[in-house]
Amino acid sequence: MLLSDIATVVGFDHCLTDPDLRAAYEVDWTGRYRGLSPAVIRPGSVDELSAVLALCHGAGQPVVVQGGNTGMVGGGVPLRGELVVSVGRLGNLQVVSERRVRAGAGATLGRLQQAADSVGAGFGVDTAARDSATIGGMIATNAGGINVVRFGPMGDQLLDAGVVLADGSYLPSLRQTGPDHPAHGLIDLLAGSEGILAVVAHADLTIAPDPAAVAVAMIEVPAARLQSLVAGVGGLPSIYAIELFGGPEVELAASGLGRSAPLSADWLALVECRSDDDPAGALAEVVGDLPAVVATNPSVGRELWLFREALTEGVSRLGIPHKFDVRVPHAGLNDVRASVTAAVPNGTVFVWGHAFSNRDGHPTANLHINIIGEVDDEAVFDVIENLGGSIAAEHGIGTAKRHRADRARDDLAALAEMKRRLDPKRILNPAVLLPDDF
Ligand code: 2HG
Ligand code: ZN
């Protein structure tokens, strides 16, 4: 009955019950998280999304919201038999001005970048998954990506958002401003809420003119100089990206690309600077005597980036990785590889990530530790906490880390209270982020 009502709303072609059609929505792209769903629902408009959620709310039917299915923490697949609501068809894109783009939740990052590019602008969040990752999911996880040092994460780009609540009500603008509607903070709850409070339907995001000149450097960094190098490049006004990886990672990328690695060392930093005047001189000064390959020609710069962007796929070729997306203070960077390796004697460890400064100014890094082989996940989390880090950085808590979030019950209490009020039947992503008894 519920499904036929839903099919009447979205059309039978967009209520997928055939197991073959559902299959790609039931497993995450890494193959680690797999569930089953009675159907995949693909609303084609905000009105349809509202109507679908109203029906699910009425029936007490849990849903999992899915965008490009590029998530890495099991937050977008129906692990408990939920209905999948795919926002993939909500892909509208409109350039409002040279500073503002409006995107449907299902628009891919790549399409948003093209839209920004059409007015000579760029968008502040970028990741190798750009052709699949969707704006709604990136907001829900507060994705950081490779330019986080410059622009901050997804939440910092949000100018406005329209959401649909669990009962189907549509709030077209969370950022109402003006004499009768002073700006309020509802929108700040959205980034990182992982779809448990509301479903993002569309968002207005900030874009900015692209600087004319670019310099990209891949730099060999001995462990003892890592912190000072990162602080040095991080202080450049032109800094756009500080990516960290090391010998095992660059070799992995090189073998996938069929090329030889340009450099290899304890650590490699891939640094990008952009400004209207040439940023290469200032960058070279900070790099000093460290061995480096520097590109000022954008196409050579892109060649260097290939070695960084090949890592996720490279690891997946070796097997289904255990993925840890963690935040580590710079002071812990030198120890992280050795400490994690010691904690997983039967695993092969790969480490890469993005360096930046926390809002409070503390230098930190979002690190992606990928391990192939036998892994005691809790031992890895313990290592990270012992280094003063935290167990989640930019991919979300999802289902994978919920049990660890339980340790932060006091921090989660306000979020849980919001959830109870906005989604009293707990139908939105019920197995995500919050522990079950919250
Ligand atoms: C990256 O920065 C992405 O490469 C994916 O966040 C990380 O595959 C991963 O673990
Ligand atoms: Zn990342």
Side-chain angles (χ1 to χ4, degrees), residues 25 89 104 142 145 328 372:
Y25 298 84
R89 292 175 68 219
N142 200 18
V328 174
I372 300 287

Side-chain angles (χ1 to χ4, degrees), residues 138-288:
M138 291 177 70
I139 293 171
T141 52
N142 200 18
I146 56 188
N147 300 127
V148 68
V149 63
R150 174 72 168 213
F151 295 102
M154 203 65 187
D156 290 4
Q157 328 304 317
L158 258 185
L159 297 171
D160 200 356
V163 299
V164 178
L165 300 181
D167 67 359
S169 11
Y170 170 46
L171 305 181
S173 168
L174 288 188
R175 173 121 42 212
Q176 299 175 2
T177 51
D180 301 329
H181 297 285
H184 53 62
L186 257 188
I187 195 163
D188 297 327
L189 287 173
L190 206 56
S193 65
E194 302 193 28
I196 69 166
L197 300 179
V199 180
V200 177
H202 52 82
D204 279 22
L205 298 151
T206 187
I207 55 177
D210 252 343
V214 57
V216 180
M218 193 185 283
I219 310 157
E220 283 189 4
V221 197
R225 290 183 57 185
L226 184 63
Q227 264 183 267
S228 63
L229 185 273
V230 171
V233 292
L236 291 170
S238 59
I239 193 68
Y240 252 63
I242 312 172
E243 296 290 292
L244 303 177
F245 44 100
E249 292 76 37
V250 79
E251 293 302 338
L252 176 73
S255 77
L257 294 167
R259 306 179 179 205
S260 49
L263 296 168
S264 195
D266 295 345
W267 286 98
L268 293 169
L270 183 68
V271 176
E272 180 164 311
C273 293
R274 289 175 180 245
S275 59
D276 285 328
D277 48 1
D278 185 5
L283 175 57
E285 232 167 82
V286 177
V287 173

Side-chain angles (χ1 to χ4, degrees), residues 308 354 368 394-395:
R308 164 64 182 86
H354 326 279
H368 307 307
E394 59 159 354
H395 297 165

Side-chain angles (χ1 to χ4, degrees), residues 19 31 39-40 51-52 70 76 108 139 149 170 182 189 195 199 219-220 259 269 322 326 333 338 347 367 387 393 401:
V40 176
V52 168
T70 55
T108 62
I139 293 171
V149 63
Y170 170 46
L189 287 173
V199 180
I219 310 157
E220 283 189 4
R259 306 179 179 205
H322 287 249
V326 299
L333 283 177
L367 287 188
L387 290 172
K401 303 181 190 175

Side-chain angles (χ1 to χ4, degrees), residues 17-31:
T17 50
D18 180 328
D20 288 344
L21 298 178
R22 290 186 336 234
Y25 298 84
E26 292 177 327
V27 58
D28 78 316
W29 72 271
T30 68

Side-chain angles (χ1 to χ4, degrees), residues 47 76 92 122 162 185 206 257 282 288 313 318 384 388 415 420:
D47 285 349
N92 293 347
T206 187
L257 294 167
E313 275 180 25
L318 303 179
I384 298 305
L415 184 64
R420 273 191 287 279

Side-chain angles (χ1 to χ4, degrees), residues 272-340:
E272 180 164 311
C273 293
R274 289 175 180 245
S275 59
D276 285 328
D277 48 1
D278 185 5
L283 175 57
E285 232 167 82
V286 177
V287 173
D289 61 348
L290 293 173
V293 181
V294 183
T296 47
N297 171 326
S299 70
V300 180
R302 273 194 294 277
E303 300 266 302
L304 292 177
W305 271 104
L306 290 180
F307 288 90
R308 164 64 182 86
E309 299 209 325
L311 295 178
T312 294
E313 275 180 25
V315 162
S316 288
R317 272 199 311 276
L318 303 179
I320 298 181
H322 287 249
K323 284 188 174 288
F324 301 87
D325 158 58
V326 299
R327 189 160 289 177
V328 174
H330 283 191
L333 283 177
N334 282 340
D335 296 329
V336 72
R337 189 188 296 271
S339 307
V340 169

